[in-house]
């Protein structure tokens, strides 16, 4: 069985201007990896309808799942829900279930149900809601696109909620082996290993720390026995250069 | 004059598997913003030739500049240079100038010029070299694509080098205004402001800190007088909700 594939779409000028450092991509990568879903691609686009529509169409067509983050708040620059509806050619409007959730939350806090806030109950036709345990305004899933908030705490809760409802794959097994030799010295034996174990991903990540040039060799795959076999071979190959 | 546009392409399984947290995108975003180049899009793809080729072609065709990071080391998973050559339909081979730089560096350190290391002197035909002041192995610019190393210290040096050679635009001016009100309460006046100043980008970034729901309103544009005008209006609008 092949694992499901996924892509991420981060929406927001604030990432591309350097004002904010995105952390949702890393969180999603770790979560998907642990749940057996292969994250194949990520994109960041600005708060621009045409850019969002084009990216959603490209990614939804190429992968089993697309997770988006950002652009579903109450302000004028929050245009994600409308862009998703446009990408799939469906209508969008305030939906009773989303509105009820929102009104309950606002009422409990004595906050006014302004037209801006009610915009957050606008949901594309045919979507199912994603629970927001923190500030009520829901995300939604339309076809294979899971539309989540950008605020990290809310994004993380929404991802957990989506992961509890979709078909998962086999988690990737990963082991790491540190070699205190520059990459140029280990490249040839590593290439041999990679050719002999084509079902595994063998990556080399160089570092330079306290004057030592080395590399972390990361072996990833679904077959635990094969991963272990490579780890043993790495031990033999570089017995004198580990620490 | 319109500012030049740019995209970033991060190449590497380690980002998509969650093993490594990318920091190059944020660095590039800050640098481009300060140098008047509009970063319009970023993508992350895995160490996969077809994925790199497709992304390079799409981005190089859509923007004035593309910056890539990752995949130009000596190991088997470093396939960026070959993928870039393929994307532009040009040949690739060890080039004398790149080889000379590399050999000088290795000789000074008593390191062997292994075939793996010499792979780092493989440069697509027609490219110009980007200096690597840290570990010698050069990046390169082919047409409008600037191919940089993934190791942050080297990536940053290569970006600085590229920025010293290309045509820059007007830096974006940016001011930030904090309002201690939930976004739902400020959305309507903000939308009015945004409509009255279409040449500016007015973004709202909610936060929830120590029980206070608020938002940072970020006003960006090339026209400093207009940015200041909006800041004054924000001061009037939300005089009682600032801290």
């Amino acid at each position: 069985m092949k694992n499901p594939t996924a892509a991420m779409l981060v929406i927001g000028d604030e990432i591309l201007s350097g004002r904010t450092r995105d952390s949702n991509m890393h969180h999603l990568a770790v979560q998907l990896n642990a749940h057996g879903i292969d994250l194949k691609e990520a994109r960041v686009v600005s708060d621009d309808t045409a850019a969002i529509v084009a990216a959603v169409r490209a990614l939804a067509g190429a992968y089993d799942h697309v997770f988006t983050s950002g652009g579903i708040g109450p302000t004028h620059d929050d245009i994600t829900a409308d862009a998703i509806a446009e990408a799939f050619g469906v209508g969008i409007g305030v939906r009773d279930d989303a509105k009820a959730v929102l009104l309950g939350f606002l009422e409990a806090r004595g906050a006014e149900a302004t037209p801006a806030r009610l915009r957050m109950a606008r949901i594309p036709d045919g979507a199912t809601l994603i629970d927001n345990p923190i500030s009520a305004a829901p995300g939604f899933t339309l076809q294979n696109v899971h539309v989540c908030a950008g605020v990290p705490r809310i994004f993380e809760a929404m991802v957990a909620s989506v992961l509890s409802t979709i078909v998962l794959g086999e988690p990737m097994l990963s082991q790491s082996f540190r070699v205190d030799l520059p990459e140029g010295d280990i490249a040839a034996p590593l290439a041999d290993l990679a050719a002999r174990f084509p079902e595994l991903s063998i990556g080399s990540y160089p570092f330079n720390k306290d004057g030592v040039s080395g590399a972390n060799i990361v072996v990833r795959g679904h077959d635990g026995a094969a991963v272990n076999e490579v780890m043993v071979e790495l031990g033999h190959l570089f017995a004198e250069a580990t620490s």
Side-chain angles (χ1 to χ4, degrees), chain A:
Chain A
M1 189 196 85
K2 281 194 72 174
N3 276 358
T5 58
M8 176 167 196
L9 179 62
V10 178
I11 297 160
D13 291 351
E14 71 275 24
I15 312 291
L16 293 170
S17 73
R19 183 186 172 274
T20 304
R21 195 185 282 267
D22 166 70
S23 67
N24 291 333
M25 192 186 295
H26 182 69
H27 176 82
L28 185 70
V30 170
Q31 287 299 312
L32 293 185
N33 194 59
H35 286 83
I37 297 176
D38 293 344
L39 182 59
K40 293 289 199 186
E41 181 173 351
R43 297 192 189 180
V44 186
V45 297
S46 62
D47 300 314
D48 174 82
T49 300
I52 300 171
V53 168
V56 166
R57 285 185 180 153
L59 297 174
Y63 304 106
D64 295 325
H65 296 281
V66 179
F67 292 79
T68 78
S69 87
I72 61 169
T75 55
H76 65 280
D77 54 341
D78 292 310
I79 57 174
T80 297
D82 287 88
I84 301 283
E86 186 176 328
F88 285 106
V90 301
I92 182 170
V94 170
R95 214 165 80 175
D96 287 344
D97 53 353
K99 185 175 168 181
V101 170
L102 213 53
L103 289 179
F105 179 85
L106 294 172
E107 205 165 293
R109 277 152 193 77
E112 202 187 335
T114 58
R117 286 205 172 99
L118 287 180
R119 271 190 74 212
M120 293 193 287
R122 284 166 58 79
I123 305 289
D125 297 345
T128 56
L129 302 186
I130 301 172
D131 184 43
N132 172 352
I134 291 162
S135 55
F140 59 85
T141 293
L142 182 61
Q143 299 193 26
N144 62 339
V145 180
H146 312 290
V147 176
C148 305
V151 174
R153 236 166 23 117
I154 307 177
F155 178 78
E156 290 163 19
M158 288 185 174
V159 167
S161 169
V162 172
L163 287 175
S164 71
T165 66
I166 64 178
V167 175
L168 307 177
E170 294 176 69
M172 268 286 190
L173 303 169
S174 173
Q175 293 208 48
S176 181
F177 189 96
R178 174 178 160 159
V179 182
D180 286 353
L181 285 173
E183 273 196 311
D185 290 341
I186 64 174
L190 267 196
D192 289 346
L193 263 186
R196 281 175 46 217
F197 292 86
E199 77 281 21
L200 302 181
S201 146
I202 304 182
S204 170
Y205 305 105
F207 62 81
N208 193 301
K209 220 170 192 172
D210 307 324
V212 176
S213 285
N216 287 302
I217 303 168
V218 177
V219 184
R220 302 174 72 241
H222 297 299
D223 179 350
V227 171
N228 285 342
E229 205 179 322
V230 170
M231 292 302 288
V232 171
E233 295 221 19
L234 288 172
H236 290 311
L237 279 169
F238 304 118
E240 286 168 22
T242 59
S243 60

